[in-house]
Amino acid sequence: MKKNSPITTICLLLFLFTFLPASAYAFGGGPGPTNTPQNTNTGAGTSVQYRSQSSVTTNVGNPPSSGGSGQPATSDTCANSPFYRRYLFDFAHNTVFSPKNFGDPICDYTMSGLATLIHQHDDAHFYCWYNVVVAGESGYDPNVEQLNDPYDPAHAWGNFQMGRGKNGADDHGDVDWQTQFLNALHHNNAQGNTFDYWSTAMRDPVHCHP
Amino acid sequence: MRKYRYIIIALIIVVLLGSIFILLFPQQTPFRNQQAPSTTGGPGQPTPTIGEDKNVEKELNLLTNRRPLAASDTDVKARLEKSVGNDGETILTTDEVIIRYIGPADEFQVEIDTVNIEKAKTDAVSWFLAQGMSMDGICKLPLNFFAGSPIRQQGINFVSPLPAGC
């Protein structure tokens, strides 16, 4: 036994340094991505949900100083709103912050209200905003969160699917619906009204990229 | 002693097999559940490149250059505008569509809430025809469609905005 002990020790060390790390990988203990997907039951089937990678600590109740109603987020599900069912789904999937009703905190959102707001502030680009960008980005849902945004780890939020500050103070979709539009408007103004921020605007370059 | 030799040989074989395994499958195992991010909402789907869509351009041309409706269609439009519900914009809600009149935009918009998109569009057009609106009037409004939350949740973020034939 004594004669073979060094060989046995070397073999054991080799075994530990080579095979065990592979075992660790195989059982998920290795250095994998930190943002591992979680299975969540959506009620309409099972989907994969990613944890937010956001390192931004934006207070949803304090939208940037771009105007709007400035209403803080609430927990109101807007039971009398035609968007009630949408909001319930949105809130169930918002894993980032609470309270979750950032887009319609006092339940006064309507598509007509949004159209009026756009007319008031940027009538020249009304149809691009209303019929191309909002229709394409969110389907007119001010509380929607895009979990899998390839451009912003803080996800995309609200009617205009903007972020949580990655591209400046106006890059905030995590605010009430009036402020959502004003942020989008100011951001677009700063970029020469090119609508380059929104890929959906490419569907109609004639009207959205004049 | 012979017994220990067999153990040592067995260990060497295990080490060699482990090394071969690592060389053949380098770092694939830990990422087996990782899926590419997607803007379509459907996990694992490739990120789409959104390009120009002539139907969207056509829709906006119809909206920005409104053509006058026939007298009978004007009457139907006025009647439908008055039929909105308490929220001031919803006219009809079914399992597959929500039809709204958006006053400030002067638009009849149909939210598609089923993956059977073409059937939903056809049914919405049929409903307008049943109200007395002509197909010419439906195109001139123009009646326009968008993807609602239920189908967005299933990865369908876009439906062609115009009725077939417009």
Side-chain angles (χ1 to χ4, degrees):
Chain A
M1 180 67 191
K2 270 184 179 178
K3 191 179 174 183
N4 291 322
S5 287
I7 300 170
T8 308
T9 308
I10 290 165
C11 288
L12 279 172
L13 284 172
L14 277 170
F15 175 80
L16 287 171
F17 279 111
T18 54
F19 188 70
L20 283 189
S23 304
Y25 281 139
F27 293 102
T34 55
N35 190 18
T36 49
Q38 300 174 310
N39 285 326
T40 53
N41 193 336
T42 64
T46 301
S47 67
V48 174
Q49 181 171 325
Y50 287 82
R51 252 186 232 117
S52 173
Q53 297 175 339
S54 174
S55 58
V56 183
T57 54
T58 306
N59 185 341
V60 177
N62 292 315
S65 56
S66 56
S69 68
Q71 297 288 342
T74 66
S75 297
D76 200 329
T77 55
C78 303
N80 295 320
S81 165
F83 297 93
Y84 171 65
R85 281 192 303 171
R86 286 194 195 187
Y87 291 170
L88 286 185
F89 182 88
D90 293 337
F91 301 160
H93 286 75
N94 180 344
T95 58
V96 178
F97 52 72
S98 189
K100 299 180 186 299
N101 189 348
F102 61 94
D104 189 12
I106 57 171
C107 305
D108 62 343
Y109 173 75
T110 60
M111 291 166 62
S112 299
L114 176 64
T116 299
L117 186 71
I118 296 172
H119 269 309
Q120 286 171 350
H121 292 276
D122 195 10
D123 196 48
H125 300 110
F126 174 81
Y127 292 107
C128 182
W129 285 121
Y130 187 77
N131 290 92
V132 182
V133 175
V134 183
E137 294 288 341
S138 65
Y140 302 94
D141 182 350
N143 270 313
V144 73
E145 171 195 6
Q146 172 58 267
L147 293 167
N148 300 321
D149 186 333
Y151 307 108
D152 191 340
H155 302 177
W157 303 82
N159 265 333
F160 299 86
Q161 290 290 278
M162 299 188 81
R164 305 195 76 198
K166 178 185 174 188
N167 298 300
D170 285 328
D171 184 20
H172 275 275
D174 55 344
V175 289
D176 64 275
W177 63 272
Q178 292 98 332
T179 309
Q180 285 174 18
F181 172 63
L182 293 171
N183 283 348
L185 176 65
H186 294 160
H187 196 75
N188 196 44
N189 282 343
Q191 299 199 325
N193 292 316
T194 59
F195 287 91
D196 283 344
Y197 184 95
W198 297 273
S199 57
T200 49
M202 281 306 297
R203 288 183 177 137
D204 187 356
V206 172
H207 293 89
C208 293
H209 300 276
Chain B
M1 281 305 289
R2 182 167 291 178
K3 182 183 170 187
Y4 289 120
R5 275 184 197 155
Y6 287 143
I7 290 171
I8 290 162
I9 290 166
L11 281 171
I12 290 169
I13 290 169
V14 167
V15 168
L16 285 171
L17 285 174
S19 302
I20 291 166
F21 177 81
I22 290 167
L23 286 170
L24 286 176
F25 306 103
Q27 294 201 338
Q28 284 184 0
T29 316
F31 302 103
R32 64 193 184 281
N33 288 328
Q34 183 71 2
Q35 292 175 317
S38 165
T39 57
T40 62
Q45 295 175 11
T47 302
T49 302
I50 296 174
E52 187 174 354
D53 188 299
K54 288 296 178 188
N55 278 319
V56 176
E57 189 180 323
K58 192 173 178 181
E59 175 202 12
L60 262 65
N61 281 335
L62 288 166
L63 287 165
T64 53
N65 302 296
R66 307 280 182 118
R67 291 176 291 168
L69 297 171
S72 58
D73 288 335
T74 303
D75 292 343
V76 174
K77 180 175 181 280
R79 182 161 47 83
L80 291 176
E81 287 173 17
K82 290 176 184 169
S83 69
V84 295
N86 291 334
D87 64 343
E89 55 191 38
T90 304
I91 296 174
L92 178 73
T93 302
T94 72
D95 287 341
E96 57 180 9
V97 297
I98 300 174
I99 298 174
R100 297 183 177 93
Y101 174 70
I102 308 301
D106 191 20
E107 289 184 36
F108 286 91
Q109 293 190 278
V110 181
E111 175 182 325
I112 304 288
D113 287 340
T114 172
V115 293
N116 200 345
I117 294 165
E118 292 311 313
K119 180 180 182 300
K121 290 177 76 171
T122 302
D123 289 350
V125 168
S126 296
W127 185 84
F128 274 83
L129 290 170
Q131 303 307 305
M133 181 78 70
S134 72
M135 194 64 213
D136 179 64
I138 290 169
C139 290
K140 283 179 177 173
L141 282 173
L143 184 65
N144 65 74
F145 301 91
F146 67 92
S149 289
I151 64 172
R152 284 175 175 272
Q153 291 156 17
Q154 298 178 56
I156 302 170
N157 285 345
F158 179 74
V159 296
S160 186
L162 293 174
C166 287

